[in-house]
Amino acid sequence: MLTILGFAMIATFLVLIMTKKMSPIAALVLIPALFCVAVGQGAQLGDYVIEGVGNLAPTAAMLMFAIVYFGVMIDVGLFDPIVRGILRFCKADPMRIVVGTAVLAAIVSLDGDGSTTFMITVSAMYPLYKRLKMSLVVMTGVAATANGVMNTLPWGGPTARAATALKLDASEIFVPMIPALAMGLLAVFVLAYVLGRRERKRLGMLTLDEALAREPEPETVSAGVGGAGAAGGEDRLRKGAAASAGGTGTDTGAGTGAGADAADGDGDGDGDEEFQGLDPNRSTLRPKLYWFNAGLTAALLTAMIMELMPIPVLFLLGAALALTVNFPHMPDQRARIAAHADNVLNVSGMVFAAAVFTGVLTGTGMVEHMADWVVGAVPDAMGPHMAIVTGVLSLPLTYFMSNDGFYFGVLPVLAEAGAAHGVSPLEIARASLAGQALHMSSPLVPAVYVLVGMAKVEFGDHTRFTVKWAVLTSLVVLAAGILFGIM
């Protein structure tokens, strides 16, 4: 019964957010609460929620101060040269911009933290997508998939969890996987190229001067609403179009399969704030402190990689130092905090709401029963191929479960079943990494809410667009691992 209810709870949640019948925060809280009562454990709901909140509180704290830190870095102009450099390199070509998004996300992912990757990538690329009216779900989909492949680095989390769960050396798991992961990353770049070509076909190209000269315009549709694009808005995007042409600028993603662009949703004409990454005259710029801010950011990322302190503590210290040095006057500091309060509240609220979902899923025993059912459903004849089975199962299980639940709860069972048929635990561990490209878009991953929140994309739109490409990328990693004899 718990197995059926567990799958039903997940399915209900996904259907409601993808059809936009409920907001993600409401669905993350109310759906598990109802199912907790349905399984007869309503009296323990408070305990499950408190346990879930306790587990995710450090993540919420990290995200809160990370958003403030990188928000300040955007305000003071740290990423302005990156934005302008990418625009000049891309020559206002949508195809190059999408490929550049994949490359940037992959490079920044070397720090091993998805939230940081998404904050830096969106900070740099969002103004370009908005200025050229490109589909924002293309940006979030490509960034999430690239980060998912790179998330398999030994310091990224999954590899360390697999090594700990099976008592193996992380390098023995990761190093042989490099060719397969390289093929997965190549698949992401090919995907970015294809999606970029579709965006180019849909939007046309601007010259560099036209792209820099264009004034942002308010938009009137929310992400994924759909509908036909206004002819005037489409014409404005074509090469040689005048920057001052009229129209509503309403976009569709029909040409890309991306859905409509995310937008403010209020259409109140506050587009200037959205383009501050390219505004050379905003009052918050601190050009004299550029190298201090660059050095502080580099030091912060280095400390994260070297694990000198817990990540929440590092971002707390970094945010406090960045605010104090760049904005020494209290009114300026309050203004900067208020400017980013919306993102902080949305993301941290989503994390704590997710704590309800994970707390109920784990506390009621649904996760355990679901995992046992899935493992028990594997035919005995597949025993000698448990590495492949593990790779295939890693896609849905790491999407519907946390990495901790999968690697510490399910992986040891799969490894034990494989060992009975002579399959090495190393092969099982390597195969378990195949699903990470999909995992990074799971509703149980806090970092994905940073991505969609900063990009102003509805989570349901991101899910509909990204899942199919992430599954394809994960299958490429799995197929390459089999082909190269790694698993």
Side-chain angles (χ1 to χ4, degrees), residues 230-483:
E234 191 168 316
D235 290 340
R236 282 196 304 277
L237 298 170
R238 301 199 178 279
K239 185 174 181 179
S244 60
T248 64
T250 304
D251 288 346
T252 70
T256 66
D261 289 357
D264 298 293
D266 54 15
D268 61 0
D270 60 348
D272 289 343
E273 291 184 2
E274 296 174 356
F275 291 90
Q276 283 188 353
L278 292 176
D279 179 5
N281 300 314
R282 62 190 185 277
S283 61
T284 58
L285 286 176
R286 297 293 185 269
K288 293 182 179 179
L289 293 172
Y290 182 83
W291 291 112
F292 167 80
N293 290 315
L296 178 61
T297 302
L300 183 62
L301 297 180
T302 301
M304 287 172 52
I305 294 174
M306 298 179 65
E307 299 181 350
L308 298 181
M309 283 185 177
I311 294 178
V313 177
L314 289 173
F315 274 118
L316 192 156
L317 295 173
L321 185 58
L323 279 170
T324 302
V325 173
N326 288 283
F327 302 97
H329 302 296
M330 283 297 297
D332 293 335
Q333 291 184 17
R334 285 196 294 267
R336 290 304 91 212
I337 293 174
H340 303 295
D342 186 42
N343 275 338
V344 170
L345 179 60
N346 286 336
V347 172
S348 59
M350 200 77 73
V351 172
F352 285 122
V356 179
F357 194 93
T358 57
V360 170
L361 202 60
T362 303
T364 57
M366 290 181 186
V367 166
E368 183 179 354
H369 281 75
M370 291 163 63
D372 290 343
W373 179 83
V374 170
V375 173
V378 177
D380 292 338
M382 293 298 296
H385 308 289
M386 278 304 295
I388 299 175
V389 171
T390 300
V392 173
L393 291 179
S394 72
L395 274 71
L397 292 183
T398 57
Y399 185 80
F400 295 126
M401 300 172 62
S402 67
N403 268 343
D404 285 337
F406 174 71
Y407 285 103
F408 294 121
V410 178
L411 189 61
V413 178
L414 293 172
E416 184 177 348
H421 293 86
V423 180
S424 166
L426 277 172
E427 295 180 63
I428 300 292
R430 293 166 189 159
S432 71
L433 301 177
Q436 286 303 303
L438 177 61
H439 171 74
M440 285 310 298
S441 289
S442 166
L444 303 182
V445 175
V448 74
Y449 298 113
V450 177
L451 175 64
V452 298
M454 292 188 67
K456 297 183 175 65
V457 169
E458 293 287 346
F459 181 78
D461 296 328
H462 170 78
T463 299
R464 279 199 303 270
F465 175 74
T466 305
V467 164
K468 57 182 177 293
W469 302 118
V471 168
L472 179 62
T473 303
S474 293
L475 292 177
V476 168
V477 173
L478 179 60
I482 297 171
L483 182 63

Side-chain angles (χ1 to χ4, degrees), residues 39-127:
V39 300
Q41 300 186 35
Q44 286 77 44
L45 176 61
D47 295 333
Y48 298 155
V49 172
I50 292 299
E51 183 178 357
V53 169
N55 292 334
L56 289 181
T59 300
M62 182 271 290
L63 294 177
M64 288 174 60
F65 291 106
I67 289 171
V68 172
Y69 179 83
F70 283 106
V72 169
M73 291 298 110
I74 296 167
D75 294 337
V76 301
L78 179 63
F79 300 109
D80 283 23
I82 298 176
V83 173
R84 295 184 181 278
I86 291 174
L87 182 55
R88 287 184 169 83
F89 170 77
C90 295
K91 299 179 180 178
D93 179 358
M95 185 273 290
R96 293 191 181 190
I97 290 174
V98 178
V99 173
T101 301
V103 173
L104 179 61
I107 292 174
V108 181
S109 294
L110 290 172
D111 73 349
D113 179 67
S115 302
T116 305
T117 297
F118 296 147
M119 278 184 266
I120 293 176
T121 301
V122 174
S123 298
M125 304 305 297
Y126 179 83

Side-chain angles (χ1 to χ4, degrees), residues 149 173 189-190 272 318 329 478:
V149 175
I173 299 174
F189 294 151
V190 172
D272 289 343
H329 302 296
L478 179 60

Side-chain angles (χ1 to χ4, degrees), residues 95 98-100 102-103 138 142 145-146 182-198 469 472-473 476:
M95 185 273 290
V98 178
V99 173
V103 173
V138 171
V142 168
T145 307
M183 293 301 296
L185 197 57
L186 178 62
V188 174
F189 294 151
V190 172
L191 170 64
Y193 174 79
V194 172
L195 295 176
R197 287 290 298 268
R198 291 181 180 179
W469 302 118
L472 179 62
T473 303
V476 168

